[in-house]
Amino acid sequence: MSDQSARPIGLFDSGIGGMTVLREVRRLLPGENLLYLADQARCPYGSRSPDELRAIAAACAAWLIARGAKLVVVACNTASAAALADLRRRFPAIPFVGMVPPVKPAASRTRSGVVGVLATPATLAGDLLHDVISRWAEGVHVIEQACPGLVEQIEEGALDSPETMALLRGYVTPLLDAGADTIVLGCTHYPLLVPQLRAIAGDDTLILDAAPAVAQRVAQIVQERGLMRNVNTLSGAITCATTGDPERFANLIHRLDLPCDRVEQAVIHH
């Protein structure tokens, strides 16, 4: 493509979760073409080893770059924690933006001095979260809560099911009992459960999602590097691809009211 700026912004995640980031990027940059990859064949990522995650992330990034992505958003906390530095080494010509749990704003905004972090086991095991906590949360009690099973429930579209609510209650109640007044969403799937979280945690609990800050960083890079799409039309195209079942993915996108123009099959070897 002659006009580099017309190339898409690429995003990937293990499933539907990263579309909470895509939604924010779309809001800030409505004229950009977006290409989203859901690696549902290997979802969830949360229990995989760092080596496995690096290989998967490299394969996903390579697929997006082969399709012309001018910037890649690792729209997954688990993959960001394990693979972001490796991706920047492997693909030095492409800017990468990863997910960082919003511990810094949580630490500055908590009134009780207790912050809860909901995340996958792999995110909690990685260095990224601990670096952010040690750097920005001095004097704040940060409670890390692994949430096995939640990603799978969200991938099923079972947001309001008794099973999902029971899991969520089991993960959130100990944080509230410990005095947490701020909850950090350390997985891009979890913003899809904000109404359910609210029902458990109440309106006084601050719930923080990193997606808006990530979208702002994407917009900043696109502007700084002269990659902004020159558009007269109102909106760019949003193409979504999955390594799983495209029809099932399209139905889930529709049910969750997420932005997408078309869904296609992706084949990725790693």
Side-chain angles (χ1 to χ4, degrees):
M1 212 176 284
S2 57
D3 181 8
Q4 200 184 13
S5 67
R7 287 161 49 199
I9 291 170
L11 308 93
F12 76 88
D13 179 35
S14 63
I16 194 90
M19 289 196 71
T20 60
V21 182
L22 178 144
R23 183 170 59 188
E24 293 297 326
V25 172
R26 174 59 157 204
R27 195 171 288 156
L28 272 191
L29 299 167
E32 292 293 332
N33 292 316
L34 304 179
L35 175 61
Y36 183 84
L37 174 62
D39 188 20
Q40 291 180 303
R42 279 166 281 274
C43 184
Y45 285 176
S47 55
R48 294 180 182 273
S49 72
D51 284 348
E52 209 177 352
L53 288 165
R54 280 189 283 276
I56 289 170
C60 289
W63 187 89
L64 289 168
I65 292 163
R67 296 283 301 270
K70 60 188 175 185
L71 177 152
V72 173
V73 181
V74 185
C76 170
N77 289 81
T78 299
S80 294
L84 193 57
D86 183 61
L87 290 172
R88 286 175 172 147
R89 274 195 300 273
R90 285 180 194 243
F91 306 101
I94 300 289
F96 282 87
V97 178
M99 305 302 299
V100 178
V103 170
K104 182 184 178 183
S108 67
R109 293 174 70 179
T110 177
R111 302 175 306 283
S112 67
V114 183
V115 169
V117 178
L118 302 177
T120 67
T123 296
L124 295 180
D127 293 335
L128 183 66
L129 176 62
H130 299 131
D131 290 347
V132 172
I133 290 171
S134 62
R135 192 170 170 194
W136 300 111
E138 198 179 340
V140 173
H141 181 39
V142 178
I143 306 169
E144 300 171 19
Q145 175 64 61
C147 303
L150 269 191
V151 165
E152 292 91 328
Q153 291 296 111
I154 295 165
E155 287 291 316
E156 291 295 325
L159 305 190
D160 291 305
S161 73
E163 292 85 355
T164 303
M165 293 305 290
L167 279 175
L168 205 51
R169 201 168 278 112
Y171 298 144
V172 173
T173 304
L175 304 179
L176 302 175
D177 289 347
D181 66 349
T182 304
I183 293 176
V184 169
L185 303 181
C187 170
T188 55
H189 279 75
Y190 299 168
L192 294 166
L193 288 174
V194 165
Q196 291 77 7
L197 255 172
R198 275 263 165 263
I200 295 165
D203 291 337
D204 292 338
T205 304
L206 184 63
I207 298 171
L208 293 177
D209 166 19
V214 168
Q216 284 173 343
R217 180 69 186 134
V218 170
Q220 185 185 6
I221 291 172
V222 165
Q223 282 174 318
E224 283 174 356
R225 301 207 179 191
L227 296 172
M228 187 80 81
R229 185 174 171 227
N230 303 314
V231 281
N232 298 317
T233 52
L234 276 175
S235 53
I238 302 178
T239 303
C240 298
T242 178
T243 56
D245 179 342
E247 192 178 340
R248 206 164 148 263
F249 190 47
N251 287 337
L252 186 58
I253 289 169
H254 179 69
R255 279 169 62 194
L256 298 177
D257 197 25
L258 293 162
C260 178
D261 295 321
R262 69 175 185 274
V263 176
E264 57 187 55
Q265 182 76 60
V267 179
I268 292 175
H269 306 287
H270 73 88

